[in-house]
Amino acid sequence: MEKMLKKTSQEYKMENIYYPLETKVLDVITETPTIKTLVLKPPVEIPFKAGQFMQLTIFGVGEAPFTPSSSPYHLETMEITILKAGHLTEAVHQLKAGDNVGLRGPFGKGFPLEKFEGKEILVVGGGVGLAPLRALLNDLFHNLNKYKRVSIKYGARNPSELSFQRQYDDWKKLLHVDFECTVDRSDGKWSGKVGLVTELLENTGIDLNNSYAVSCGPEIMLKFVTLKLLSVGFKPEQIYLSMNRKMSCGMGICGRCNIGPYYLCKDGPDMNYAKIQKYPDVFG
Amino acid sequence: MYQISQDRLVAAIKKLNHHYPIVLPIQKDTEYSLKFFGVDAWVDNQWKISPIRTPQPLKSFFYPPKQNVTKYPQSEKQVEKLQSLVIIGSKACDINALKIIDKVYREGDYPDPYYLRAREKNIIIASDCLDAGKFCACTLMNSLPYPEKDFDLNLSAADENILIEVGSEQGEKLLKDFFGDIKKASEAQLAQRDKNRQSVIEKLKEINREFQYFQSHQEAIERHLKSKEWKELSKTCVECGICTQICPTCYCFLLFDQPSEKRYERIKVWDSCFFAGYSRMAGGLTPRLGLADRFKHRFYHKFDSFVTNFGVEACTGCGRCSEGCMGNIDLRKVLQELEKKVVLLEKIELS
């Protein structure tokens, strides 16, 4: 055991690419009635870039890809935020502090942060799609002086489904950072905006010549966010979409996540829209 | 180049079988099929080189249809425990297919440890095709009915003897250890082998006479990315997925976890892009929802995106997909139809 722990996470990964690293659940945070955040304590630090994803194993149930929602600068623990949507995530939501899960990864390329330097970054999230974006936000906030502006637009179905509510005020306080959210349907108590997240993209005041837009959410939302961004003047090259489709291997082999010649797991999951726009299966 | 009599070849294989499990084509009625024999389990004194490839692809012995890739707790021996096989009688289309799969499983960023092990350990004794099947199309896919490299030994037919070509150091050693004292092949035998090979090539050309391609398959498919043509082409497909299972170059898989006594085990199983559930996500979204979309995806992957990513087509013309298809979909015809329609499209654009 002692000897094993001396290996880096990369060495573990290359030894048997299918074998997950056993990892303890430190805490489970309930974000919304359908979204939970796992706080994990990997046995060795797993360095990752914002946007790269992990394969999470629930032993005996299965494995699925999730992007960490915590900061790439904070590696003692890793947070993964998960919506209850199917067989495996059902089991994720049963987890308690002290349980063990498995981690494989990280996989993918992550966001091209070097390209974002000196630019205004428009971050558009939908529902649990804010989770992968939170890793990006954590990275951007860590080096905030490198970026001109970070503008966050977030939408959820209803007020109870807004994730990370505990952090909005902190985000708003940061210099050159603005945050706005909306819900599709109000619950009566909600005093904020009601409408689709695309409505927040009308008058952003973003400098179209010096900016990138990044979005993550359900594919139907990605489609309409992309159309809206194009209609307000963004060029396809300026749009990055975090496309988190079904993946099994995570390394560009097993075949199900491809768009055109690209494998979302290997070449993404954060794809430049200009690269994928010509393919008919770009939005499912 | 060496020569050996039929009887002594069989004796050499038996000797090999004292040390290794072997895999070789066995004739039953008019069909040949690939069979596995444990050490000392093979008894066939009449064994002969099969005329063409077997229905089963060679890939099964490098990445099996179902393989346990992770046990709990992990044992470093899991990979090393894989036994070496001697695979006899493999044809060029299958060997070329392994070279294609190598690009993904062996030369990629994340080599598959089990595949690597099998590639290193398995011994390939290849053989020339002595005939051509109705669906054989290697010559259409820039290949030949006999292997030129990437084997340990290759068997060819010449007069009543078998010629043996050495293709690797391992092959050289195998020859020394198991084949005994053997003679060099004569000029006449070599000439006979070449004549046999040429006659199979001629036969293949005759079989595929009606199929002619004037542009690259990649160009033709690029023009059909959004075309409605796929619906027509896939109309008799019953989504059985056999074309992907018996294809020697199809390599897609699914990792499947199941509980075990100790905790869990992870199984890697062959998957097929023809199945609707293949890319279906939690929540129900399926990026390639229609059969025509999935049908297109298979051709797109083999003849377009694989070329973009690796510089070669993922097809060796073995013809298994066309032969096995219950809907009588012939790959050669599909490619030809696509090209014909491109010519039509261009004519319309010109006018």
Side-chain angles (χ1 to χ4, degrees):
Chain A
M1 195 67 190
E2 191 65 27
K3 197 173 145 233
M4 277 175 69
L5 288 181
K6 282 186 188 148
K7 286 180 201 157
T8 65
S9 62
Q10 183 64 19
E11 283 165 339
Y12 274 116
K13 190 162 130 185
M14 297 317 289
E15 200 172 84
N16 180 349
I17 193 65
Y18 304 112
Y19 193 77
L21 198 56
E22 189 159 349
T23 298
K24 195 157 270 320
V25 179
L26 276 190
D27 196 10
V28 182
I29 303 166
T30 301
E31 301 285 351
T32 78
T34 58
I35 300 172
K36 283 185 179 179
T37 295
L38 303 179
V39 184
L40 306 172
K41 172 85 185 153
V44 286
E45 288 187 355
I46 303 175
F48 69 98
K49 279 181 71 184
Q52 282 192 308
F53 67 93
M54 302 298 299
Q55 289 280 9
L56 176 78
T57 299
I58 307 297
F59 295 114
V61 180
E63 188 185 51
F66 299 99
T67 308
S69 56
S70 53
S71 169
Y73 290 96
H74 176 86
L75 298 177
E76 294 94 81
T77 58
M78 177 184 274
E79 292 176 21
I80 302 184
T81 303
I82 296 167
L83 169 78
K84 185 156 72 175
H87 176 63
L88 182 96
T89 51
E90 197 74 55
V92 167
H93 276 241
Q94 306 291 324
L95 289 170
K96 301 176 298 297
D99 288 345
N100 281 338
V101 295
L103 284 177
R104 256 186 340 123
F107 294 111
K109 286 217 162 38
F111 291 103
L113 285 157
E114 57 300 335
K115 271 194 181 173
F116 293 177
E117 286 180 20
K119 309 279 183 197
E120 298 187 11
I121 314 298
L122 177 64
V123 179
V124 188
V128 77
L130 189 60
L133 295 173
R134 184 167 165 253
L136 172 69
L137 291 173
N138 280 324
D139 201 316
L140 297 176
F141 296 163
H142 191 86
N143 301 296
L144 209 45
N145 55 344
K146 283 192 189 164
Y147 311 99
K148 274 188 87 177
R149 178 183 165 192
V150 178
S151 179
I152 309 161
K153 310 290 179 191
Y154 179 46
R157 277 187 197 151
N158 54 60
S160 70
E161 286 304 319
L162 289 162
S163 42
F164 309 116
Q165 290 192 46
R166 58 203 149 91
Q167 296 192 308
Y168 302 163
D169 286 339
D170 295 341
W171 295 352
K172 284 182 198 164
K173 277 182 214 148
L174 296 167
L175 199 61
H176 309 307
V177 175
D178 53 87
F179 175 89
E180 210 179 355
C181 67
T182 179
V183 295
D184 297 355
R185 278 179 305 274
S186 168
D187 61 357
K189 282 176 267 169
W190 175 251
S191 58
K193 282 205 165 88
V194 177
L196 298 174
V197 73
T198 45
E199 289 166 29
L200 302 181
L201 306 177
E202 301 269 0
N203 301 301
T204 52
I206 287 269
D207 176 4
L208 286 173
N209 295 316
N210 191 38
S211 56
Y212 280 102
V214 179
S215 187
C216 184
E219 285 210 12
I220 185 77
M221 173 218 143
L222 287 182
K223 179 175 177 177
F224 287 102
V225 164
T226 304
L227 293 174
K228 182 57 124 188
L229 289 171
L230 293 171
S231 80
V232 299
F234 277 88
K235 294 185 190 72
E237 295 77 25
Q238 288 174 284
I239 303 172
Y240 278 87
L241 302 174
S242 184
M243 314 276 292
N244 299 275
R245 283 194 177 163
K246 179 170 178 181
M247 298 163 186
S248 184
C249 69
M251 46 206 180
I253 300 177
C254 80
R256 47 193 48 69
C257 68
N258 30 19
I259 293 184
Y262 303 107
Y263 284 77
L264 293 172
C265 64
K266 181 164 75 71
D267 305 309
D270 319 298
M271 294 297 295
N272 191 295
Y273 182 62
K275 275 187 168 178
I276 52 174
Q277 60 178 339
K278 80 164 179 172
Y279 299 105
D281 50 358
V282 54
F283 298 115
Chain B
M1 189 70 65
Y2 301 91
Q3 56 156 316
I4 195 168
S5 71
Q6 178 68 35
D7 291 348
R8 284 191 57 202
L9 174 67
V10 170
I13 297 175
K14 275 203 174 141
K15 205 170 155 194
L16 264 167
N17 190 219
H18 293 329
H19 298 81
Y20 297 99
I22 58 173
V23 171
L24 77 183
I26 291 294
Q27 188 176 11
K28 201 180 170 202
D29 306 327
T30 56
E31 298 270 304
Y32 283 79
S33 65
L34 218 46
K35 290 247 166 18
F36 171 91
F37 295 92
V39 173
D40 278 332
W42 180 66
V43 189
D44 184 354
N45 295 322
Q46 303 299 315
W47 187 83
K48 282 197 168 65
I49 299 175
S50 66
I52 66 164
R53 46 115 190 109
T54 54
Q56 301 101 315
L58 185 60
K59 69 175 180 184
S60 330
F61 299 96
F62 292 84
Y63 67 109
K66 198 172 166 194
Q67 184 171 37
N68 184 322
V69 291
T70 299
K71 277 197 189 100
Y72 185 88
Q74 186 182 23
S75 148
E76 284 173 5
K77 298 217 174 67
Q78 200 177 341
V79 175
E80 275 127 56
K81 269 202 259 170
L82 287 184
Q83 57 185 158
S84 310
L85 295 174
V86 177
I87 299 164
I88 300 163
S90 312
K91 303 299 187 191
C93 50
D94 270 330
I95 291 169
N96 294 341
L98 283 184
K99 294 300 284 179
I100 289 170
I101 296 167
D102 278 355
K103 292 183 186 303
V104 180
Y105 277 144
R106 202 183 190 185
E107 296 155 19
D109 294 340
Y110 300 107
D112 180 303
Y114 300 93
Y115 181 81
L116 276 185
R117 175 85 181 167
R119 283 296 266 149
E120 278 159 17
K121 287 276 164 185
N122 287 353
I123 295 161
I124 297 177
I125 301 181
S127 64
D128 287 9
C129 284
L130 309 178
D131 198 359
K134 215 163 78 175
F135 297 94
C136 284
C138 54
T139 47
L140 277 187
M141 301 298 166
N142 302 316
S143 183
L144 292 165
Y146 52 88
E148 291 178 295
K149 51 182 183 177
D150 306 311
F151 51 78
D152 294 305
L153 294 176
N154 182 53
L155 311 175
S156 316
D159 49 53
E160 70 279 13
N161 287 320
I162 309 293
L163 300 194
I164 305 180
E165 187 180 349
V166 176
S168 71
E169 271 177 39
Q170 197 174 24
E172 187 86 57
K173 192 171 177 303
L174 220 59
L175 203 63
K176 218 173 101 223
D177 295 349
F178 296 97
F179 287 72
D181 197 20
I182 55 169
K183 279 191 288 185
K184 288 243 184 275
S186 69
E187 287 295 321
Q189 282 173 320
L190 277 176
Q192 181 63 44
R193 178 196 72 166
D194 291 347
K195 211 178 135 202
N196 292 349
R197 286 179 166 182
Q198 201 51 43
S199 84
V200 177
I201 292 178
E202 291 308 321
K203 188 159 183 198
L204 278 160
K205 281 191 181 149
E206 182 56 28
I207 290 166
N208 293 296
R209 202 183 47 221
E210 60 178 298
F211 305 107
Q212 278 182 19
Y213 307 118
F214 300 98
Q215 62 184 152
S216 79
H217 304 314
Q218 185 174 30
E219 278 168 41
I221 288 173
E222 277 294 313
R223 295 296 302 271
H224 285 283
L225 281 185
K226 293 186 179 172
S227 125
K228 301 248 184 300
E229 205 52 46
W230 301 100
K231 200 152 192 163
E232 185 62 26
L233 291 169
S234 63
K235 124 181 128 180
T236 57
C237 173
V238 295
E239 298 178 63
C240 68
I242 191 67
C243 52
T244 52
Q245 307 290 295
I246 56 177
C247 173
T249 67
C250 269
Y251 57 83
C252 291
F253 65 87
L254 177 75
L255 292 175
F256 178 84
D257 284 11
Q258 57 190 32
S260 74
E261 265 172 49
K262 291 247 171 76
R263 181 176 261 178
Y264 83 108
E265 54 190 3
R266 178 159 293 161
I267 318 283
K268 181 180 164 188
V269 288
W270 290 358
D271 204 348
S272 170
C273 56
F274 268 72
F275 300 155
Y278 176 69
S279 54
R280 183 168 56 222
M281 289 170 259
L285 183 71
T286 306
R288 291 182 285 272
L289 188 60
L291 168 61
D293 294 331
R294 297 196 290 276
F295 186 88
K296 172 175 71 184
H297 181 73
R298 176 159 191 263
F299 280 84
Y300 174 76
H301 183 225
K302 289 206 168 302
F303 296 102
D304 192 344
S305 70
F306 203 84
V307 180
T308 306
N309 290 333
F310 299 105
V312 292
E313 290 178 346
C315 175
T316 64
C318 74
R320 287 185 177 97
C321 53
S322 314
E323 188 169 9
C325 182
M326 291 198 255
N328 289 329
I329 297 170
D330 190 322
L331 175 125
R332 300 169 295 187
K333 267 191 200 134
V334 171
L335 292 172
Q336 189 158 43
E337 282 302 308
L338 288 173
E339 193 172 295
K340 270 191 205 160
K341 291 284 159 31
V342 171
V343 176
L344 275 179
L345 279 173
E346 273 163 5
K347 270 189 190 153
I348 293 165
E349 277 165 22
L350 276 175
S351 62

